[in-house]
Amino acid sequence: MKEEGKRNKQEAKKKNNEEVEIFTLFPSFRLPLSPSPSNSLVIAGVDEVGRGALFGPVVAAACILPDEVLDELARCGVRDSKQLSAAARSRLAVKIRAVAVDCQIGAASVREIDRLNILQASLLAMKRAILKLSVTPDLCLVDGNQRIPNLSIEQETMVKGDARSIQIAAASIVAKVWRDELITRLAVKYPEYDLTNNKGYGTAKHKLALERCGASVFHRVSFSPCRKS
């Protein structure tokens, strides 16, 4: 009887370790983990928006979600922010912030984009979002294939992560809504660039305004459409 009990304990321990490993690799799936705090992994999803825009900062969000809300958020429609309407993103951003353990925004300015290049500025915005979290995550899931430099927290890159991880998808939605609201406010001061409609991206109307009016202080002069001829 003692040997059987010992074997059962060993098998249970092995199964739990396997479940933790799977949870690390596929955090968007809810798994039957032990409620013991020693087995609880704090995971932050991190994503950026505005990388391809001509105007405004690049913005990132870092989002930590409780395990018990992942399935619910998936059912509510949380996925890659680019696949959602503006109204759906706004609605989901409110819900995500309401249920998140923590959710923070980081940004890199236009000057930083022009000085560092857009890739490094994007990674800087992600790092800033992570470091603002009130809870230090055990693991950061970073959308894309580039690791965040000089980050002491363990990280894992995930190509197309906003389609594979609820945490990353949630971060992409929060970042997109935050940046869109910022650009909409700036559009009042710079109406000639049609920012309300293009959110700073290089539409034909936006490029035509650049040719006619030149670049504003919020344009990325390191991007060729914004350079003075």
Side-chain angles (χ1 to χ4, degrees):
M1 291 290 291
K2 288 184 179 180
E3 287 297 321
E4 184 177 350
K6 187 177 179 180
R7 278 198 307 273
N8 289 340
K9 286 183 180 180
Q10 289 175 341
E11 289 175 2
K13 185 177 180 180
K14 182 180 178 182
K15 182 179 179 182
N16 190 62
N17 288 339
E18 289 173 349
E19 288 172 347
V20 171
E21 184 178 359
I22 292 170
F23 183 71
T24 304
L25 294 174
F26 301 101
S28 59
F29 293 93
R30 188 178 174 191
L31 298 172
L33 295 177
S34 164
S36 169
S38 63
N39 292 326
S40 179
L41 290 170
V42 179
I43 296 177
V46 191
D47 201 3
E48 55 76 23
V49 296
R51 186 166 170 173
L54 304 179
F55 178 102
V58 61
V59 174
C63 193
I64 300 174
L65 299 171
D67 299 345
E68 60 269 20
V69 306
L70 300 181
D71 289 343
E72 179 188 353
L73 290 176
R75 287 193 297 270
C76 289
V78 170
R79 57 183 184 275
D80 178 0
S81 63
K82 294 184 290 294
Q83 299 177 359
L84 299 167
S85 67
R89 284 194 299 264
S90 295
R91 172 179 58 82
L92 289 170
V94 171
K95 184 171 183 63
I96 290 163
R97 285 187 174 277
V99 301
V101 173
D102 198 8
C103 193
Q104 296 292 338
I105 292 290
S109 69
V110 169
R111 286 188 180 184
E112 288 172 322
I113 293 169
D114 290 338
R115 178 169 56 87
L116 298 172
N117 75 45
I118 186 59
L119 171 59
Q120 294 306 316
S122 297
L123 296 172
L124 177 60
M126 289 183 181
K127 183 178 180 180
R128 285 171 173 165
I130 294 166
L131 294 180
K132 285 171 68 177
L133 291 167
S134 59
V135 178
T136 301
D138 299 310
L139 174 67
C140 293
L141 293 176
V142 182
D143 186 52
N145 61 2
Q146 297 289 325
R147 293 176 61 83
I148 299 170
N150 304 314
L151 183 68
S152 59
I153 301 166
E154 185 178 350
Q155 58 181 301
E156 179 181 329
T157 59
M158 188 175 287
V159 176
K160 297 183 180 179
D162 44 13
R164 299 168 57 195
S165 164
I166 291 293
Q167 288 95 334
I168 293 177
S172 77
I173 290 169
V174 171
K176 174 66 173 168
V177 169
W178 193 95
R179 187 180 186 279
D180 282 359
E181 290 176 352
L182 172 65
I183 300 301
T184 299
R185 290 198 299 272
L186 290 172
V188 176
K189 188 174 182 180
Y190 301 98
E192 62 271 30
Y193 301 108
D194 193 36
L195 298 171
T196 301
N197 293 313
N198 62 50
K199 300 301 185 287
Y201 286 85
T203 60
K205 192 171 182 179
H206 190 173
K207 290 179 180 178
L208 182 60
L210 279 167
E211 291 176 8
R212 289 177 175 174
C213 308
S216 73
V217 294
F218 287 101
H219 277 95
R220 304 172 183 178
V221 294
S222 57
F223 284 36
S224 56
C226 303
R227 292 174 191 154
K228 294 180 180 178
S229 56

